[in-house]
Amino acid sequence: MKIIGTGSALPEKEVTNDMLAGFLETSDSWITTRTGIQTRRLLSKETLSELAITAAQNAIKSSGLNPEDIDYLICSNVANSYVSPSLSSIILAPLGCCCPCIDLNGACAGFIYSLDMADAFFKTGRAKNILIVAAEEPSRFCNWHERETSVLFGDGAGAVVLTEGEGFKDFRVTADTHTDVLYYKRSLEVTPYDRVEEKTMPLVMQGREVFKLAVRACIKDVDVMLERNNMTGEDIDMYLLHQANMRIIESIREHLGQPKEKFPTNLQKYGNTSSASIPILMDELSRAGELKDGMTLLLSAFGGGFVTGITIMKWSEIKYEEE
Ligand code: COA
């Protein structure tokens, strides 16, 4: 398969570190030095499904296809205000698509998990054109009285359209059970038979543990991936890494000994948008003309679970109409 269209959408509301310091015991300098994040976009007037629809419409438009040409829709999403129906079901008809659809929760690695699933659909002849929309509102998982988590996240949506082709070289997705380091619990209805009354628990994160797990796992993924494809860090033109923390990206870059220019970032502007971070970055780079025909890209992400995903692909330039 190959990517033939990209799109993204961000909430209008921009929230700076200084704005957070107005009601949390934090500071712009703490957040910037520990994470690299300067500002983030947070849902206020819009809904997540509206963002997802805009991102998807932009991706479909740039692909040159029509909504009815899409024959599978995958939404990468950790949680939204509906438990059921799925986000993909909610956006399907408004997009004008008429195809099977499914949500996939691969935490912050969900976009790469979705690509991996799409790859399997192409290889088994199940689909000719697939739309992946990664749409996330992690700001809604946080306790906004807790500085440890709420300063890290932003909301957003990124989308790609895939068709048959030779763009993707290899995938690796991994998973392990580490439920204690990063979790968000939602309460379910109480039944007469369920003895434990559960409460919604806003996002709990052991920051240092997650940091170490992320660096260790991503370095392993990159090493395995490069080795089994007989490549070195030099052979990758651009690394599109999950936009969680500049220091995590920097650790991976240092391990590879590759120049900073190969590691584009937008976490300064948007914070950690979970699985939407890589497709948003990809859309911005592609529309800015930074992704050239034939470039080799490495995409790598990690997330709660603990899960990781990595892929290597060749880029085919996309033509965008003036907007
Ligand atoms: N503002 C000011 N101080 C803060 C703060 C904030 N927003 N958050 C935590 N602190 C304080 C802590 O209370 C602690 O204080 P203490 O030394 O008095 O106990 C101190 O800063 C250091 O905290 P620590 O957690 O050790 O900092 P850190 O260098 O590990 O950075 C993270 C914290 C969260 C930025 C970092 O661990 C991280 O990015 N982890 C990965 C998170 C992630 O990517 N999650 C998403 C996964 S998809």
Side-chain angles (χ1 to χ4, degrees):
M1 64 183 187
K2 63 176 183 181
I3 293 176
I4 54 165
T6 68
S8 61
L10 290 145
E12 214 178 289
K13 180 88 186 156
E14 188 171 350
V15 178
T16 64
N17 292 343
D18 281 337
M19 287 162 78
L20 298 182
F23 63 94
L24 287 170
E25 204 180 310
T26 190
S27 64
D28 176 44
S29 77
W30 192 95
I31 303 171
T32 311
T33 46
R34 303 284 176 133
T35 70
I37 300 164
Q38 293 164 5
T39 179
R40 70 282 295 139
R41 302 287 193 86
L42 300 181
L43 284 165
S44 57
K45 290 192 226 106
E46 322 84 340
T47 63
L48 188 69
S49 53
E50 285 165 356
L51 283 193
I53 289 168
T54 305
Q57 283 171 334
N58 292 341
I60 294 171
K61 189 174 171 203
S62 64
S63 74
L65 298 180
N66 295 312
E68 52 285 10
D69 298 326
I70 303 295
D71 44 25
Y72 221 109
L73 166 62
I74 304 171
C75 270
S76 168
N77 174 254
V78 175
N80 66 88
S81 31
Y82 278 87
V83 172
S84 186
S86 63
L87 184 60
S88 51
S89 298
I90 292 168
I91 69 170
L92 187 78
L95 282 173
C97 295
C98 180
C99 60
C101 68
I102 191 168
D103 278 16
L104 185 155
N105 178 356
C108 298
F111 178 62
I112 299 180
Y113 261 80
S114 302
L115 286 171
D116 184 50
M117 187 171 146
D119 185 54
F121 283 172
F122 279 107
K123 285 185 173 144
T124 51
R126 296 285 301 278
K128 289 198 183 318
N129 303 304
I130 298 180
L131 171 63
I132 297 176
V133 188
E136 303 281 13
E137 48 184 338
S139 74
R140 305 284 305 277
F141 310 167
C142 297
N143 175 348
W144 280 84
H145 301 290
E146 274 180 17
R147 62 183 184 176
E148 285 79 7
T149 48
S150 52
V151 304
L152 302 176
F153 297 96
D155 307 323
V160 296
V161 174
L162 299 149
T163 197
E164 290 164 304
E166 298 292 318
F168 285 80
K169 196 172 172 65
D170 197 6
F171 280 96
R172 171 181 155 90
V173 288
T174 76
D176 200 354
T177 305
H178 283 287
T179 41
D180 51 335
V181 294
L182 184 58
Y183 62 91
Y184 164 51
K185 276 180 76 172
R186 293 172 86 180
S187 66
L188 298 175
E189 302 306 315
V190 178
T191 77
Y193 310 104
D194 196 348
R195 281 166 295 144
V196 188
E197 192 173 333
E198 291 181 332
K199 288 205 174 73
T200 291
M201 177 99 80
L203 194 73
V204 175
M205 188 183 69
Q206 313 297 333
R208 280 192 194 176
E209 284 313 304
V210 173
F211 192 103
K212 283 188 265 178
L213 276 169
V215 172
R216 214 180 299 137
C218 287
I219 285 179
K220 170 109 192 267
D221 277 354
V222 171
D223 286 348
V224 168
M225 200 65 165
L226 291 176
E227 195 190 331
R228 80 178 183 205
N229 286 284
N230 296 316
M231 297 171 89
T232 68
E234 295 280 309
D235 298 317
I236 304 297
D237 296 307
M238 227 179 249
Y239 293 85
L240 272 54
L241 307 185
H242 173 42
Q243 303 288 296
N245 183 317
M246 198 63 94
R247 285 155 56 218
I248 295 178
I249 294 176
E250 196 51 22
S251 304
I252 299 163
R253 187 189 74 76
E254 276 172 15
H255 169 76
L256 287 159
Q258 291 297 299
K260 280 198 160 95
E261 309 77 76
K262 286 191 175 186
F263 293 76
T265 56
N266 62 9
L267 63 84
Q268 301 89 329
K269 296 187 289 181
Y270 306 139
N272 179 347
T273 57
S274 188
S275 75
S277 88
I278 292 178
I280 293 172
L281 182 64
M282 179 182 272
D283 182 51
E284 288 194 338
L285 292 168
S286 179
R287 285 174 193 267
E290 306 273 331
L291 303 181
K292 313 276 183 220
D293 239 6
M295 264 188 167
T296 302
L297 309 182
L298 182 148
L299 280 44
S300 166
F302 58 90
F306 201 81
V307 293
T308 70
I310 185 166
T311 183
I312 294 178
M313 59 170 295
K314 274 240 178 300
W315 188 255
S316 306
E317 232 166 283
I318 297 166
K319 301 267 176 286
Y320 298 93
E321 276 176 36
E322 293 289 323
E323 266 151 26

